Amino acid sequence: MVNDVVIGSALRNTLTSIKRTQNTIDVITERLATGLKVDSALDDPSNFFTAKALRNTASDKARLLDGIGQSIRAIQETAVGLEAAERLIDQAEAVVLESQKALEAGKVDPAIYEDIINTSPQTLSQQISSGDPDVYFRLNETGGPIVDYGVGAAGPVTANYNSGASGNAPPLYTNGGGSPSVQFDGVNDRIRVSDSTMINTSTTPARTVELVFNADTVAGRQVLYEEGATVNGLTIYIDNGLIRVEAEDDQGGNRFGNLDISAPVVAGQTYHVAFVFDGAAQTFSGYLDGQHMANSPLNITSDAVFPSHSGDVGIGGVSGGVQFHDGENGGGNGFNFDGRISDVAIYNRAVSDADLLSHANSLDASTTITYPNRNYDAVLSQIDELVIDANYRGINLLNNETLRTDFNSTGSSFLITEGDDFSAQGLGLVERFNFNEADTLDRILSALREAKAQVRRFGFTIANDLSVIQARRDYTEASINVLNAGADDLTVADLNEEGANQLATQTRLELGTTALSLAAQSQSSVVGLLS
């Protein structure tokens, strides 16, 4: 049996030595093949894991280099855009100088043209709607029922034409295309508004009513708006050349009466009229075309609210009883308006003086005539197009965006490059200049020079950021090399040394093999003698 073979001590020692030498050769061969003296944790745990950590850090920094490189490209794209923008500003300056030269020679630059600009404010209906009225009858219907555009929680309030009041009448103002109005004949026409918690069947701490009207006559007494009856009520009416607003609660808990405010009006002219009942401030105010007619103190002795009232609500005439400055009238319908009304808005709050003035000033459209230069306009348009195009992978520093560059894997070290607006608007070049005025041309040239200075200042800023980013890129690259070199010091084999070790080990192996052969012959001889 093989296990029963007895080997002499010399032969056994030689075999052991040969085995160790062969193992050494195997290790050296693997190092020569991989180039590593530590290829796994079994080789040297400390060096293996230390080198792995160094290489991981180097890898993290290598990934940062991608972002740093993209930031450099984004800034370079911005710099290219700035150079182009400066050239376009130079071209705009040349256009202005050409117009200036023509003007000095008593001529007109053929590139100048007349341009009519709409400078109208936001329309009345837009302003009222944005103020969230509780009830809003625009009275601009060309057919069908009257529509409530209010936002009252109780839902739309119903209003109906009575006795011939007719919609689709000529507009009362020009801004917004001129919406139709409602015509009243002064005999028996009116609009009857149904009872509603948004108007008359609930108490309110404040109430604002505004409307637009144009009277065919200002003679006599004509009701534009009324709510309430002989006990309490709110009224807007014409009284022999005066527009009056009235508030009274002569038998209620609040007990104020004949709060009369008036101002003169004429026939054939469009007006904006409003009143504001403000319980908290204890005032009742009237406004004509956004201007205060007057204030009246309420002298409230109890709760600062206007009481609920069952009296009907009428537009263009009385629906039941009504309050006037010189007493109540409970004789039913009457006091009909002769003219046109539109934009009746009701709020259960006190609308501000500023808002009412803005509403009144919104009635008329306005235009301004300018004399721009089409060549100048074309250059400004190209500046805007350039700003749009000057982006790199969605980052556009010329369009007021920002660029973040991270310098470490935790994000604690970074640089923010702030963009700016280099559109024609951002550069202050979009004013509709009159190119036929010498003073204006001087202002244009000044604006262009300031725009150019703005471009150059920003160019210096991004050049500084670019230098910082490039310096950090160079540092990161050098740091990666240091980390990898440190890992190599712990794991990479010296091939020259390993080659010499392999040669020496192979020699030892050959000597061991020879020794093994001699030992085997010696043992065989001894066995032969004994036999």
Side-chain angles (χ1 to χ4, degrees), residues 67-68 71-72 75 397 402-408 411-418 461-473:
I68 293 172
S71 292
I72 290 173
I75 293 178
L397 295 176
T402 58
L403 171 67
R404 176 184 172 117
T405 307
D406 288 313
F407 298 129
N408 64 14
S412 60
S413 176
F414 59 88
L415 176 68
I416 297 293
T417 302
E418 298 281 352
T461 298
I462 63 169
N464 181 68
D465 285 1
L466 181 60
S467 296
V468 171
I469 294 172
Q470 287 175 329
R472 291 304 302 260
R473 178 198 59 187

Side-chain angles (χ1 to χ4, degrees), residues 77-87 386 398 422 455 458-459 462:
E77 176 70 16
T78 302
V80 171
L82 284 175
E83 291 176 2
E86 185 170 350
R87 290 197 298 272
L386 171 67
L398 298 186
F422 287 92
V455 168
F458 188 70
I462 63 169

Side-chain angles (χ1 to χ4, degrees), residues 295-322:
N295 285 341
S296 288
L298 296 179
N299 296 320
I300 293 175
T301 58
S302 60
D303 295 336
V305 298
F306 195 82
S308 62
H309 44 280
S310 59
D312 292 334
V313 179
I315 298 173
V318 176
S319 291
V322 63

Side-chain angles (χ1 to χ4, degrees), residues 94-260:
V95 169
V96 177
L97 291 173
E98 185 67 22
S99 292
Q100 190 177 59
K101 180 179 177 181
L103 190 61
E104 291 172 351
K107 300 178 182 178
V108 176
D109 188 336
I112 297 174
Y113 64 98
E114 182 181 275
D115 188 23
I116 300 176
I117 303 172
N118 182 5
T119 55
S120 304
Q122 189 180 43
T123 66
L124 176 60
S125 63
Q126 290 173 328
Q127 292 191 46
I128 290 177
S129 296
S130 65
D132 294 336
D134 293 280
V135 181
Y136 179 27
F137 300 122
R138 292 185 62 182
L139 302 184
N140 65 338
E141 292 81 13
T142 58
I146 298 172
V147 178
D148 173 19
Y149 292 91
V151 295
V157 177
T158 303
N160 298 292
Y161 297 118
N162 284 106
S163 303
S166 56
N168 202 23
L172 294 177
Y173 49 86
T174 57
N175 190 21
S179 298
S181 60
V182 172
Q183 180 72 52
F184 300 85
D185 65 4
V187 179
N188 56 5
D189 288 356
R190 63 189 173 88
I191 292 174
R192 183 181 182 281
V193 182
S194 299
D195 289 345
S196 169
T197 57
M198 304 313 301
I199 306 177
N200 63 323
T201 61
S202 297
T203 61
T204 180
R207 169 66 54 76
T208 300
V209 175
E210 64 177 318
L211 59 84
V212 179
F213 75 96
N214 187 312
D216 292 335
T217 177
V218 294
R221 185 165 291 182
Q222 308 173 49
V223 169
L224 300 176
Y225 174 87
E226 64 85 15
E227 58 173 287
T230 58
V231 175
N232 45 50
L234 300 165
T235 316
I236 303 173
Y237 61 102
I238 293 173
D239 185 50
N240 291 314
L242 296 177
I243 184 72
R244 294 182 181 273
V245 294
E246 171 77 12
E248 186 165 356
D249 180 24
D250 58 0
Q251 296 181 33
N254 294 318
R255 297 186 181 278
F256 56 88
N258 292 331
L259 300 182
D260 171 48

Side-chain angles (χ1 to χ4, degrees), residues 51-66:
K52 184 175 180 62
L54 291 172
R55 288 197 175 94
N56 287 340
T57 303
S59 178
D60 292 341
K61 290 194 173 186
R63 285 192 294 272
L64 285 172
L65 279 177
D66 293 335

Side-chain angles (χ1 to χ4, degrees), residues 78-79 81-86 88-89 379-388 390 396-401 418-430 450-462:
T78 302
L82 284 175
E83 291 176 2
E86 185 170 350
L88 288 172
I89 292 172
V379 175
L380 295 193
S381 177
Q382 285 305 311
I383 290 175
D384 289 339
E385 294 295 333
L386 171 67
V387 167
I388 294 172
N396 195 332
L397 295 176
L398 298 186
N399 197 25
N400 213 24
E401 296 179 2
E418 298 281 352
D420 205 345
D421 183 1
F422 287 92
S423 65
Q425 170 110 20
L427 291 170
L429 304 176
V430 296
E450 174 54 32
K452 188 185 297 185
Q454 182 179 339
V455 168
R456 289 174 177 173
R457 286 194 297 269
F458 188 70
F460 177 80
T461 298
I462 63 169

